[in-house]
Amino acid sequence: MDSLIAAAARALATGDALGALKRVALREDPPALALRGTAMAQLGEHARARELLQRAARGFGAHEALARARCTVADAEVALAMRDLQRAPRALAAATATLERHGDPGNAAHARLIAVRRLLLLGRLGEARSELRRLDGALLPPALAAIAGLATAELALRSLRSTVAREALAQAHAAAGRARIPALIAEVDATQARLRQPVARRISADGEHPLQLHEVEALFDSGALVVDGCRRGLRVADAWLPLARRPVLFALARALAAAWPGDAGRDALIAAAFRTRHPDETHRARLRVELGRLRALAEPWTGIDATARGFVLAPNEAREVVLLAPPIDGEDASLLALLADGEAWSTSALALALGTSQRSVQRALATLESGGQVCASGGGRSRRWLAAPAGGFATTLLLPATLPPA
């Protein structure tokens, strides 16, 4: 490694992308191409960065497996920043194994953290937790320690463990201060700010009340029957009944919870579930069928009793019924929550994260674009979608998460 390459690498390690480019901007050898690609990524030129990194990987010979693995890891990180989530993780796993085999634990840990961040974006919390456990006790440099702390905090936030998130963020803040990378410090500060923002609304007879994450966590631990409008399901403590794929049943549960401790009228339930204001006997018959299905699913926690006017929730063990609403109203709240991170997303990445079809995402984006809530840049396969970051509240509970069923 010559002196210019070493100086450029030191500059990149401290976040000085321009300083690195001054040293290697005119060079075309593989090490210089790799450093130029990394510098362009730090400056936000992701497409150019990937081109340079892939050229560098091809330029290294067959005997330079370690250098090629490092290029693969850097390319995977740029792909993550571009929200290219469809990229197969096998190449990153192979590069991680190569780095470990050749005695480069720092870059191997970096590769694992990239995999963790991808899993978090996809809502695969269990797999992300398993990957993070493999880094426990590892001696990480300050920058990687800060990233690991951010990943741990994000996992804790999505798992509704605010205390663990605060501890992880405190460690990440200290590590970012040691690393002296302004962008990393800003990211830690932004995540800490999310802990102080409302994440949901509690709807009751006396109005709406914004709740922070620790208040939602306390609500779930209270043993109340929570109709969770953020993740669309019923929850009692750690037991979870998902209803996201059964929208009629969830609409009925939400309407019953909004009326509790009183009853909900039949016409109101039909309007909520079937979206009609002119019910007839067929709607009333279907209402009885759907309520029977909801009653069977929710039997361990609550009954649903008929009244003269309609139906009422009768929770077991004198439980309180709480209706939790998302901070963003509308069917496309989860889509807006993903776009609220300020990054440019492709339609395919949004569909992969939400677990739905690209066509459904395209229809939702067209509706949001007509309402001025999102905007697009580029065309064809390079088309990307952006939305202004949501102000005043956090979208933690709206992000994808694989939750264990009841």
Side-chain angles (χ1 to χ4, degrees):
M1 183 182 295
D2 59 56
S3 60
L4 285 178
I5 293 292
R10 286 194 296 269
L12 285 176
T14 60
D16 183 9
L18 292 177
L21 285 176
K22 287 178 182 179
R23 294 170 173 85
V24 296
L26 301 179
R27 293 178 53 166
E28 294 292 325
D29 52 301
L33 289 174
L35 291 173
R36 284 169 57 192
T38 305
M40 296 301 287
Q42 290 187 5
L43 293 173
E45 297 291 336
H46 295 140
R48 178 60 175 159
R50 295 195 72 181
E51 179 186 342
L52 290 168
L53 288 167
Q54 290 167 6
R55 282 178 57 194
R58 291 193 298 268
F60 286 114
H63 61 286
E64 296 174 297
L66 183 60
R68 284 189 282 115
R70 289 170 178 167
C71 289
T72 299
V73 172
D75 182 48
E77 185 170 22
V78 178
L80 183 68
M82 295 177 68
R83 297 300 186 258
D84 183 4
L85 303 182
Q86 289 189 316
R87 183 180 177 84
R90 290 190 295 272
L92 182 60
T96 305
T98 299
L99 292 167
E100 290 176 340
R101 189 166 57 249
H102 286 79
D104 189 356
N107 280 311
H110 189 192
R112 293 197 182 281
L113 287 171
I114 293 170
V116 168
R117 290 158 61 196
R118 178 182 179 274
L119 291 169
L120 287 173
L121 281 177
L122 294 175
R124 290 152 63 175
L125 305 186
E127 295 176 53
R129 186 178 294 108
S130 298
E131 282 292 326
L132 273 176
R133 286 197 186 114
R134 301 182 70 170
L135 293 173
D136 284 350
L139 296 177
L140 301 177
L144 290 184
I147 296 172
L150 281 169
T152 302
E154 182 68 25
L155 178 61
L157 287 172
R158 304 275 288 278
S159 304
L160 299 179
R161 294 184 295 163
S162 57
T163 303
V164 176
R166 285 192 179 88
E167 294 173 354
L169 285 174
Q171 296 172 3
H173 191 274
R178 294 194 302 271
R180 298 182 182 179
I181 300 177
L184 195 53
I185 296 172
E187 187 176 356
V188 175
D189 290 341
T191 307
Q192 287 179 322
R194 288 168 55 193
L195 278 172
R196 300 187 291 271
Q197 294 175 333
V199 298
R201 297 171 292 148
R202 178 174 178 171
I203 298 179
S204 58
D206 56 348
E208 297 183 3
H209 306 277
L211 300 180
Q212 295 182 1
L213 187 68
H214 70 276
E215 295 173 312
V216 175
E217 185 180 8
L219 181 63
F220 288 162
D221 291 339
S222 68
L225 171 61
V226 180
V227 179
D228 188 348
C230 298
R231 290 176 171 168
R232 293 182 173 266
L234 305 183
R235 182 191 293 270
V236 175
D238 292 332
W240 169 249
L241 174 63
L243 295 176
R245 297 185 181 276
R246 308 189 72 169
V248 171
L249 298 189
F250 178 75
L252 291 172
R254 177 169 181 151
L256 289 167
W260 190 86
D263 58 352
R266 289 176 175 81
D267 289 350
L269 290 171
I270 290 172
F274 310 137
R275 299 182 180 180
T276 179
R277 296 184 179 180
H278 305 287
D280 54 27
E281 288 304 318
T282 61
H283 294 107
R284 294 185 179 89
R286 186 183 173 193
L287 176 65
R288 291 191 294 271
V289 171
E290 299 295 347
L291 282 172
R293 291 170 176 163
L294 180 60
R295 185 184 290 114
L297 290 172
E299 184 179 8
W301 306 326
T302 183
I304 302 176
D305 297 338
T307 66
R309 194 172 75 96
F311 295 88
V312 63
L313 287 175
N316 303 340
E317 303 175 9
R319 287 192 177 98
E320 181 185 10
V321 178
V322 177
L323 175 58
L324 203 63
I328 306 174
D329 286 319
E331 295 182 356
D332 302 320
S334 294
L335 181 58
L336 285 172
L338 284 174
L339 292 171
D341 65 359
E343 299 290 345
W345 287 72
S346 65
T347 304
S348 58
L350 289 168
L352 185 61
L354 293 171
T356 186
S357 68
Q358 290 192 43
R359 185 61 187 146
S360 297
V361 171
Q362 289 168 350
R363 286 195 296 266
L365 287 170
T367 302
L368 293 173
E369 186 180 25
S370 64
Q373 293 177 278
V374 301
C375 61
S377 62
R381 292 191 175 185
S382 63
R383 191 175 183 85
R384 295 292 184 271
W385 295 90
L386 291 157
F393 54 83
T395 56
T396 306
L397 299 184
L398 295 176
L399 297 173
T402 305
L403 302 176

